[in-house]
Amino acid sequence: MKIIALNWKLNPETEKEALSLLGFSDRKGVLVFPPSIFLAEIARKAKRAEVGAQNIFWEEGGAFTGEISPSMVKDAGVQWVLIGHSERRRYFDETDEMINKKILAALHADLRVILCVGEPLEVRKKGVSSAKKFVAYQLENDLRGIKNFKLKIKNLVVAYEPIWAIGTGKADKPAESAEMAKFIKETLSSKPYPPNPKVLYGGSVNAKNIAAFLRPGEIDGVLIGGASLKREELKRIFGILKI
Ligand code: PGA
């Protein structure tokens, strides 16, 4: 079954609206990623959708004002966490080293991780092979030390999100993101990585293009930002997916 992950980012404004959005998206195969303040309530109310956090910290406790630990998130009834989203890398200066710590802490707390990777426009302009090198570097550094975990395939998903495609309305070509998904699987095909992880595509996915990304093949699902907040768009997406 394909994974349909909905990243609400810093939306909506109220818990009431968040619950209404959940009511609309609460379907099998859907993962919702609300802002952390709504997590516990959304996790309590979700019947079919699974729930994920958009971020965590790597420490389990201590003097880290404003942060949320993996165990707190787990205790709120959450199964998933997004790590390494390009908006966190860009606006909050998250480095590969920090992302690596977060991944290890999340796996330690038995959370399922969606690791986001993807290249900026200036790299992609140099060609797909430059983009592959960039992504391989991120994977190597973000997943350092992962061999210390007895990882099940279901615990680690990779989302390929080319930065230039996020929120721009300019999605990648499905054939090129499928090629990147294949490359990510090949890169992770040898130990210490879990064999054959699922790879999602993210970046301006909408009702018009989703079918092309979800054709049988290398892409195992999508990570949707902007369109996950628009009911009409979502309605069409769920209609296409028949869920
Ligand atoms: P978008 O966002 O669908 O609005 O491009 C995707 C994401 O940031 O995960």
Side-chain angles (χ1 to χ4, degrees):
M1 190 169 185
K2 301 277 188 184
I3 294 176
I4 311 301
L6 306 179
N7 177 12
W8 296 352
K9 309 193 181 186
L10 190 56
N11 306 285
E13 229 167 84
T14 64
E15 186 177 276
K16 196 169 162 214
E17 289 170 87
L19 286 170
S20 143
L21 207 50
L22 170 72
F24 199 74
S25 314
D26 195 4
R27 297 157 200 248
K28 207 166 177 325
V30 170
L31 317 180
V32 293
F33 291 85
S36 53
I37 196 161
F38 305 140
L39 277 175
E41 189 58 13
I42 295 283
R44 241 191 311 276
K45 295 277 163 61
K47 292 197 178 71
R48 285 166 288 270
E50 294 178 28
V51 181
Q54 296 174 16
N55 180 36
I56 47 152
F57 190 51
W58 57 78
E59 292 289 346
E60 278 299 347
F64 301 102
T65 303
E67 293 296 335
I68 297 175
S69 77
S71 298
M72 289 171 189
V73 160
K74 187 87 185 163
D75 184 59
V78 166
Q79 296 121 296
W80 291 86
V81 62
L82 277 186
I83 299 183
H85 192 283
S86 64
E87 285 153 15
R88 295 215 55 90
R89 294 181 192 253
R90 179 173 170 199
Y91 300 123
F92 304 98
D93 293 330
E94 284 196 13
T95 60
D96 288 313
E97 196 187 346
M98 290 157 77
I99 288 160
N100 177 242
K101 285 192 200 172
K102 291 184 177 199
I103 291 174
L104 298 183
L107 293 173
H108 194 73
D110 207 22
L111 286 165
R112 299 173 71 179
V113 171
I114 299 184
L115 164 63
C116 303
V117 295
E119 80 288 348
L121 186 58
E122 61 269 24
V123 170
R124 180 60 168 255
K125 273 186 179 158
K126 290 186 202 141
V128 175
S129 63
S130 299
K132 283 180 180 169
K133 255 191 221 147
F134 187 95
V135 165
Y137 179 87
Q138 286 183 320
L139 290 173
E140 189 190 332
N141 289 288
D142 296 348
L143 297 176
R144 214 173 270 282
I146 210 162
K147 65 173 181 300
N148 300 329
F149 288 88
K150 281 207 187 71
L151 268 189
K152 289 185 219 108
I153 177 172
K154 68 181 183 79
N155 291 128
L156 180 70
V157 171
V158 178
Y160 170 56
E161 297 206 298
I163 297 172
W164 47 270
I166 297 177
T168 58
K170 292 186 189 126
D172 196 7
K173 293 195 185 82
E176 293 189 1
S177 44
E179 186 184 333
M180 184 62 94
K182 186 162 178 260
F183 171 75
I184 290 170
K185 288 179 189 185
E186 281 164 8
T187 305
L188 301 183
S189 66
S190 55
K191 281 190 172 157
Y193 304 116
N196 206 22
K198 286 193 190 299
V199 178
L200 315 182
Y201 167 77
S204 297
V205 173
N206 57 33
K208 272 203 193 109
N209 62 24
I210 192 166
F213 287 108
L214 293 182
R215 256 180 227 130
E218 300 292 346
I219 300 176
D220 303 299
V222 284
L223 180 52
I224 306 176
S228 74
L229 301 166
K230 298 183 194 139
R231 278 159 198 260
E232 276 314 305
E233 194 74 17
L234 268 185
K235 202 168 157 185
R236 275 189 275 156
I237 288 175
F238 293 144
I240 291 164
L241 300 174
K242 299 192 176 68
I243 58 173

